[in-house]
């Protein structure tokens, strides 16, 4: 009996899709400064596995963590209806 774990799901916009089966997705979040308390935007870019090549720059997509696919790809694109 395997215990099913919840996978981390992110939502961001596609910045580029320079390679086959890969899209670069930028995720923006707000972080509070520990000393001054001001909120600022922090953007991180993830390389996401896109096997069908459906992600185009400007699209908003969801993706989840998965096993390592290559040296830098550790995320998989989710279908639109999820």
């Amino acid at each position: 009996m395997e215990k099913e774990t919840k996978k981390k799901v992110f939502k961001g916009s596609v910045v580029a899709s320079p390679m086959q089966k890969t899209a670069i997705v930028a995720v923006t979040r707000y972080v509070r400064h520990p000393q001054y308390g001001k909120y600022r935007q922090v953007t991180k870019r993830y390389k996401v596995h896109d096997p069908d090549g459906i992600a185009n720059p400007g699209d908003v997509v969801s993706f989840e963590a998965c096993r390592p696919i290559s040296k830098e790809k550790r995320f998989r694109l989710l279908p639109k209806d999820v």
Side-chain angles (χ1 to χ4, degrees), residues 23-75:
I24 298 176
V25 181
V27 176
T28 303
R29 62 191 182 99
Y30 287 92
V31 177
R32 187 169 187 248
H33 191 280
Q35 183 177 357
Y36 301 115
K38 185 175 181 177
Y39 287 90
R40 63 187 186 112
Q41 269 188 347
V42 175
T43 302
K44 187 166 180 183
R45 292 163 52 118
Y46 296 93
K47 288 190 179 168
V48 178
H49 185 60
D50 179 16
D52 302 325
I54 57 172
N56 296 315
D59 293 349
V60 176
V61 296
S62 296
F63 59 98
E64 68 179 357
C66 66
R67 64 178 176 78
I69 296 169
S70 69
K71 179 182 173 184
E72 296 179 342
K73 280 199 287 189
R74 273 101 175 102
F75 300 93

Side-chain angles (χ1 to χ4, degrees), residues 2 4-5 10 15-16 19-22 25 28 33-34 40 46 50-52 58 61 65-66 72 76 79 82:
E2 282 189 38
E4 194 165 319
T5 59
F10 300 91
V15 177
M19 299 158 272
Q20 292 178 349
K21 300 185 180 182
T22 302
V25 181
T28 303
H33 191 280
R40 63 187 186 112
Y46 296 93
D50 179 16
D52 302 325
V61 296
C66 66
E72 296 179 342
R76 175 183 14 231
V82 174

